[in-house]
Amino acid sequence: MVLGYLLAVALLALLSLWPKLAPRPLPVRVEALAEASFTPPAPEPVSLNGASLEELEALPGIGPTLARRIVEGRPYGTVEDLLKVKGIGPRTLERIRPYVRP
Amino acid sequence: MKGALSSSGVGLGLGGLLGALALLYPALLLLAPLGLRFGLPFFLGLVLVLLRGLLFPVPEPPYGLRVEGTLAVREGFTRWEGHRLRVKHFPPLEDGVYHLRGYLAPPEPRRNPGGFDERAWLLAQGVKGVFHVEQARRLSALPNPRTPFRARLAEGLSSPAKEVLEGLVLGDKRGLEDAYLLFQKAGLAHLLAVSGLHVGFLVGAILLLPLGRWRYLLALALLPLYLFLAGPSPSLVRASLMAGLSLLGLFLGLGAAGVVQALGLALFLQLLLRPEAILGLGLQLSYLAVLGLALVLPALRLPPGLKGYLLGGLAASLAVQAFLAPLLLHRFHLLPLLSPLANLLAAPVVALLVPLGFLKLLLGGALAWAVEPLARGLLFLAGVASQGPLLRLGEISPQGFALYYLGLLPPLLALHHLLPWRKALLLASLPALVGLATGLPKPVDLWLLDVGQGDALLARMGGAEVLVDGGRPEQGEKVVRALRALGVEALEVLVATHPDADHFGGLLRVVEEVPVGLALLSPAFPQDHPLVQALRAKGVPTLRPGAGTALRVGKGRIQVLWPSHLSGDDNQDGLALLLDLGRAKALLLADLPAEVEETLAPGPVEILKVSHHGARTGTSEALLAQARPRIALIGVGKNPFGHPHPEVLERLQAHGVKVYRTDRMGAVRVDLGYAW
């Protein structure tokens, strides 16, 4: 029993000291804590013709005023039709394009 | 002890434990032959828990799926198509029925040393999915049958007393916040998790009633009520199972079950119910504590009377401490040394408060006059005891745990007269020596911590630690916890490269919590800057070095390469550092632009901390050609600036540099071996 105890201690000593003493061929080793394996799904495009005011306001660069103008400018055949809304230029359009559909 | 160990309950428990662990780490099945001496029950426990885990695993919800529907949210969780899911929304959703829209994602693993491991925490509760809510509309409230009880518990109490009582009686510490830290530093935090202590005091109070044998049945009937009121936390389930077994035995006239026996049986049952529960800290602490009590106390011969009671209380507290010490240090990085004393003083107060609180759950305000001063007293005691000395230690390796408990074994055997004391101490000294020896080689490495969008880099230079920046202010706590987990008790050098919030912010908290030897600040920091003031308040010597300054730190060297002159622009006046770690050199570029990079001439380095989170203003072709790094570290999180810029990543790739970024990988460690 004592022998088994001594063996266990020796084994643990080897396990914990060896990685610190072993000669290493590679000077530098890199480890990462958490490898990303999941990317959140793209947000669902908001319908320009059906969305509520709230949903439109959640879009980047769209405030209450623009949201109201978008609703007033309905219906839209394509996303590009947004350009006819006063206050939405090509830059804003490009920003919100991934998040909207007609 | 021999008799107790050969009993079937212990065998079942140990078999179940190995089964649950083997489900997580199959290699542990190699230990199965050790169970031979426990015979059939051990293998029965092992096989049953293994089968339970393999045949009915926790189902994995379809990650990435968009979900929309009407769901009931209770205490932050919901149920969707048979999956239990954690609901994430800012601010947290109150209990109720909602129309929710969002997507399913896997829980986050630990991203920093000492960080929160959501994956393990949820898995211990049988949850494998997180519902990220993007849109929530509240439809109706959800009736909580516990609300009237909680209201009666709070009736007539002041706010601090109410919060202490909620923690003490129901194990609900949400209201406590800062006071919880006091309890933790006093070593009294276990009082706020409902466990055997509480069940013991409650059952003990009922057994004082003159009801003959029927008082056992009354106590037995109260256990499910308590489980319903306080919620089925692992420690309460454990305590209820054990108390239930004993009370049933007493009622039937069979006598109380042996504690170790009941403990093993309870563990087996709990793991059979859910093998993953073994990951839960509450369960681990609860079983280890009772194991300590059950193995130590029966071996002591205590004098009768008050002296015996006091000695017994002290011994119990010490036994629990001895069994929990490595786990507490591993998880909380601190161990209150006065905790046995604090517990001895707290015991009579808690013995009164728990039964009174339970009565108050049923009666309401009538008992407030008695409960209020007791709760206040306990809070006061925690406040005083929290000032006591603390033992601090970083995370402990699995080998460290094994060595500790191996070292505990011989004294335990000696206590039971199975081994002479002299031999026991000799044997116990061996693991202690090994433990000390493994602490001698000091790590040499770089840790780029994950602080979201921002930089925080810790360099361990063989016995001396250097922290360069600390992320945004709200990340300070994360950085402090990482330092504690890595066993960094004090910083030799603290560097703030420039006065941008995503670099110096977290350092404010670090300066408050961790002793600092010397602070290196960019000359761009004004005299009235909050960080400068915090450093002055702590009496930390401060230096504002320019190009050419060099310091010897630990086994390495810090060289300051920039600024050579001031321009008035915060980014441009940042500190550029060259760390010489012996085996490798690292160039840290803060947020410096390409014009500065081109003038640095650092010579070849192995590691580059990319400038400005990978913005296109830095990491120029000229720098890469000059420094020829092999590893690039980028501290970056979700950001609206498009960091890291694709052009930078392309340039790095073209030079054959391997890129490590914290937004994808969590904290990154560059391991450079050990120094003596």
Side-chain angles (χ1 to χ4, degrees):
Chain A
M1 188 161 136
V2 172
L3 196 67
Y5 183 84
L6 292 177
L7 265 177
V9 173
L11 186 72
L12 284 169
L14 192 71
L15 275 179
S16 45
L17 274 170
W18 180 247
K20 303 188 177 181
L21 301 178
R24 300 198 309 171
L26 281 175
V28 178
R29 191 172 50 191
V30 186
E31 48 201 81
L33 262 197
E35 206 71 55
S37 53
F38 176 81
T39 33
E44 233 165 55
V46 173
S47 162
L48 287 175
N49 291 316
S52 68
L53 271 175
E54 273 179 5
E55 283 170 307
L56 291 173
E57 274 178 44
L59 294 170
I62 304 289
T65 327
L66 279 182
R68 211 180 52 242
R69 285 193 203 148
I70 291 176
V71 171
E72 283 162 3
R74 280 171 182 172
Y76 301 92
T78 63
V79 175
E80 279 72 24
D81 288 355
L82 267 180
L83 287 173
K84 72 183 184 204
V85 175
K86 201 179 139 202
I88 295 187
R91 277 190 68 156
T92 319
L93 178 62
E94 286 318 306
R95 263 183 91 187
I96 64 173
R97 189 192 286 279
Y99 310 109
V100 292
R101 62 188 165 85
Chain B
M1 184 149 140
K2 274 246 162 76
L5 282 184
S6 57
S7 67
S8 51
V10 175
L12 272 174
L14 284 175
L17 176 65
L18 186 61
L21 288 173
L23 284 169
L24 300 166
Y25 314 101
L28 286 177
L29 275 181
L30 291 173
L31 292 178
L34 288 181
L36 268 179
R37 54 177 307 183
F38 296 99
L40 194 60
F42 177 84
F43 290 98
L44 196 66
L46 175 63
V47 169
L48 283 177
V49 171
L50 273 179
L51 283 178
R52 161 70 178 86
L54 291 173
L55 296 181
F56 311 99
V58 182
E60 198 169 277
Y63 299 140
L65 188 75
R66 298 204 142 269
V67 173
E68 180 166 5
T70 303
L71 297 167
V73 177
R74 209 186 274 278
E75 285 170 6
F77 289 88
T78 188
R79 195 164 270 288
W80 171 82
E81 296 196 352
H83 297 284
R84 207 161 160 249
L85 301 172
R86 181 173 194 218
V87 178
K88 256 197 191 159
H89 183 269
F90 190 83
L93 296 178
E94 270 175 50
D95 288 9
V97 180
Y98 291 86
H99 183 84
L100 297 177
R101 211 166 78 180
Y103 62 91
L104 302 182
E108 286 252 308
R110 215 163 61 123
R111 298 190 67 88
N112 277 303
F116 174 52
D117 189 344
E118 187 188 38
R119 188 156 62 185
W121 178 68
L122 286 178
L123 190 57
Q125 305 174 59
V127 176
K128 270 197 173 168
V130 176
F131 188 175
H132 288 263
V133 176
E134 290 165 343
Q135 209 178 60
R137 200 171 73 241
R138 192 178 164 91
L139 300 177
S140 64
L142 204 58
N144 188 345
R146 291 175 201 159
T147 311
F149 289 96
R150 300 190 63 133
R152 279 198 288 271
L153 186 66
E155 215 174 303
L157 292 182
S158 68
S159 169
K162 178 198 114 188
E163 274 142 22
V164 170
L165 208 62
E166 273 179 354
L168 197 64
V169 178
L170 299 176
D172 179 1
K173 7 187 193 298
R174 272 171 297 183
L176 275 167
E177 292 174 8
D178 290 350
Y180 185 69
L181 258 172
L182 293 184
F183 275 85
Q184 215 172 29
K185 286 188 175 169
L188 296 173
H190 65 98
L191 297 176
L192 304 173
V194 179
S195 71
L197 190 75
H198 304 67
V199 172
F201 284 139
L202 188 64
V203 168
I206 287 169
L207 294 188
L208 289 177
L209 300 176
L211 287 175
R213 240 169 74 177
W214 293 101
R215 63 204 163 130
Y216 299 127
L217 209 59
L218 178 64
L220 197 60
L222 269 185
L223 292 178
L225 178 63
Y226 203 14
L227 270 170
F228 159 74
L229 287 174
S233 69
S235 50
L236 183 55
V237 172
R238 197 265 310 143
S240 301
L241 279 171
M242 287 181 64
L245 285 171
S246 289
L247 288 168
L248 202 62
L250 285 168
F251 176 68
L252 298 174
L254 300 172
V259 178
V260 187
Q261 175 105 336
L263 189 70
L265 205 55
L267 179 62
F268 167 70
L269 289 175
Q270 227 170 334
L271 292 178
L272 192 63
L273 200 66
R274 186 183 299 142
E276 297 82 11
I278 192 69
L279 287 171
L281 181 63
L283 182 130
Q284 297 166 1
L285 290 173
S286 174
Y287 277 90
L288 271 176
V290 179
L291 187 67
L293 290 176
L295 291 183
V296 171
L297 287 193
L300 301 176
R301 251 175 314 213
L302 296 167
L306 182 69
K307 205 169 143 202
Y309 165 78
L310 287 177
L311 279 176
L314 209 57
S317 189
L318 280 171
V320 170
Q321 185 103 317
F323 271 70
L324 296 187
L327 193 53
L328 291 174
L329 282 170
H330 179 67
R331 295 298 289 258
F332 303 112
H333 318 306
L334 56 86
L335 191 68
L337 292 174
L338 289 186
S339 131
L341 207 61
N343 274 289
L344 201 63
L345 292 173
V349 182
V350 176
L352 285 173
L353 259 182
V354 170
L356 279 177
F358 199 82
L359 267 180
K360 199 166 181 312
L361 278 171
L362 309 170
L363 298 180
L367 284 167
W369 59 269
V371 170
E372 174 83 27
L374 284 170
R376 291 248 173 196
L378 192 62
L379 204 55
F380 176 73
L381 178 65
V384 173
S386 68
Q387 304 297 320
L390 299 171
L391 177 68
R392 290 196 185 275
L393 204 70
E395 282 179 0
I396 297 170
S397 66
Q399 295 96 312
F401 274 99
L403 280 170
Y404 180 86
Y405 287 110
L406 263 185
L408 214 53
L409 190 62
L412 214 53
L413 289 174
L415 205 60
H416 286 265
H417 307 291
L418 297 170
L419 204 66
W421 268 105
R422 203 179 329 162
K423 203 168 162 188
L425 290 179
L426 191 69
L427 284 177
S429 67
L430 293 176
L433 282 176
V434 173
L436 284 177
T438 51
L440 279 182
K442 298 292 180 211
V444 180
D445 58 8
L446 289 179
W447 277 97
L448 186 65
L449 301 173
D450 175 20
V451 289
Q453 176 72 1
D455 272 354
L457 184 137
L458 175 74
R460 295 197 283 182
M461 308 178 75
E465 283 83 17
V466 179
L467 180 69
V468 184
D469 290 341
R472 276 172 291 148
E474 67 273 19
Q475 304 288 332
E477 193 55 47
K478 217 185 265 179
V479 178
V480 170
R481 225 174 294 157
L483 293 178
R484 299 249 191 264
L486 292 172
V488 177
E489 279 165 46
L491 289 166
E492 191 88 358
V493 179
L494 177 109
V495 183
T497 56
H498 64 289
D500 274 4
D502 59 338
H503 289 255
F504 83 83
L507 294 178
L508 294 169
R509 184 101 186 99
V510 173
V511 170
E512 212 170 287
E513 291 282 324
V514 185
V516 177
L518 171 71
L520 297 186
L521 301 185
S522 152
F525 276 94
Q527 279 302 330
D528 57 349
H529 192 277
L531 182 62
V532 178
Q533 284 172 346
L535 286 167
R536 200 179 298 139
K538 285 273 173 190
V540 179
T542 307
L543 215 61
R544 288 158 197 265
T549 307
L551 298 169
R552 189 164 280 287
V553 179
K555 304 271 186 254
R557 257 164 70 86
I558 301 179
Q559 248 176 293
V560 180
L561 303 183
W562 187 263
S564 62
H565 59 273
L566 292 184
S567 67
D569 177 77
D570 280 354
N571 281 351
Q572 197 154 351
D573 291 343
L575 294 178
L577 302 180
L578 183 66
L579 302 185
D580 185 354
L581 296 140
R583 274 167 177 259
K585 285 184 180 174
L587 179 60
L588 317 182
L589 287 181
D591 280 1
L592 293 169
E595 307 93 83
V596 173
E597 285 179 352
E598 278 150 24
T599 63
L600 287 182
V605 299
E606 274 76 19
I607 304 143
L608 171 72
K609 200 296 290 175
V610 167
S611 142
H612 210 163
H613 325 287
R616 74 203 291 191
T617 52
T619 322
S620 58
E621 198 66 39
L623 175 86
L624 291 176
Q626 228 262 326
R628 282 177 302 173
R630 298 201 296 133
I631 293 164
L633 303 175
I634 307 181
V636 65
K638 216 172 139 188
N639 67 80
F641 318 111
H643 298 161
H645 199 275
E647 277 174 25
V648 170
L649 295 178
E650 267 166 39
R651 276 203 289 271
L652 287 166
Q653 204 188 1
H655 281 264
V657 187
K658 186 115 178 55
V659 173
Y660 295 88
R661 42 194 282 196
T662 54
D663 59 340
R664 296 268 175 88
M665 300 170 162
V668 178
R669 178 188 183 208
V670 183
D671 177 6
L672 299 166
Y674 290 83
W676 288 83

